[in-house]
Amino acid sequence: QMQLVESGGKLVQTGESLRLSCLASGRTISGYTVGWFRQVPGAEREFVATISWSGEVTNYADSVQGRFIISRDNDKNMIYLQMNNLKPEDTALYYCAAAFARAATTRRQYPYWGQGTQVTVSS
C-alpha cells in the first residue's frame, strides 16, 4: 500500500503563489503516474494536473494551464504543485494521488489518495 500526505495549503490573497507538497510512503513513487485533484463542497473531485513517472510528460486542466506546475522528486518520494497567480475559483481541498496508468486524468484511474490540504484564495 502507498500512503500519501499533502501539505502546504493555506489562506492566500488573489494573485499570490503557493506550493503544495505530497510525501509518499510505503512504496516508491517511481513507476507511478502521480497527479493532483481538487474538490469543493457539493461538487465532483476534478482533475488538476498529472505527471508521468519520468517527469517528462505533464498534463493540466485548462483552468490551471499556464499558472500551475506539477513536478516530482522520485528520490525523495515527493510530488509538488506550484500554483501561481491564484484566483478565488482555485479555492478547494487539494488531493495528491498515484496511478498505475499512463496519462491518468480521471479519478477512477487513481487507487491511492491523500487526505487533502485546503487552499483558500481571498479576493
Side-chain angles (χ1 to χ4, degrees):
Q1 283 285 37
M2 180 186 291
Q3 291 78 45
L4 300 168
V5 178
E6 304 91 340
S7 62
K10 65 177 185 177
L11 173 65
V12 295
Q13 301 291 319
T14 296
E16 292 186 341
S17 297
L18 191 63
R19 188 175 84 156
L20 303 183
S21 300
C22 177
L23 174 64
S25 61
R27 291 187 180 183
T28 174
I29 60 172
S30 299
Y32 287 85
T33 296
V34 293
W36 288 91
F37 288 71
R38 65 188 183 186
Q39 189 171 21
V40 298
E44 293 290 319
R45 192 170 299 184
E46 67 172 4
F47 165 75
V48 175
T50 186
I51 186 168
S52 64
W53 70 269
S54 66
E56 294 180 350
V57 180
T58 57
N59 192 10
Y60 297 92
D62 290 343
S63 59
V64 306
Q65 180 75 47
R67 299 188 298 122
F68 289 13
I69 301 171
I70 187 172
S71 61
R72 62 191 295 163
D73 186 332
N74 289 342
D75 290 337
K76 295 181 179 179
N77 246 19
M78 293 290 295
I79 307 141
Y80 304 99
L81 184 67
Q82 176 66 40
M83 304 186 294
N84 301 317
N85 190 23
L86 282 160
K87 304 175 181 181
E89 51 264 42
D90 295 318
T91 295
L93 189 60
Y94 282 74
Y95 298 89
C96 69
F100 303 108
R102 294 182 179 181
T105 60
T106 62
R107 181 178 180 177
R108 64 175 60 189
Q109 292 176 294
Y110 286 81
Y112 302 114
W113 292 86
Q115 294 300 306
T117 185
Q118 178 67 39
V119 173
T120 304
V121 184
S122 66
S123 57

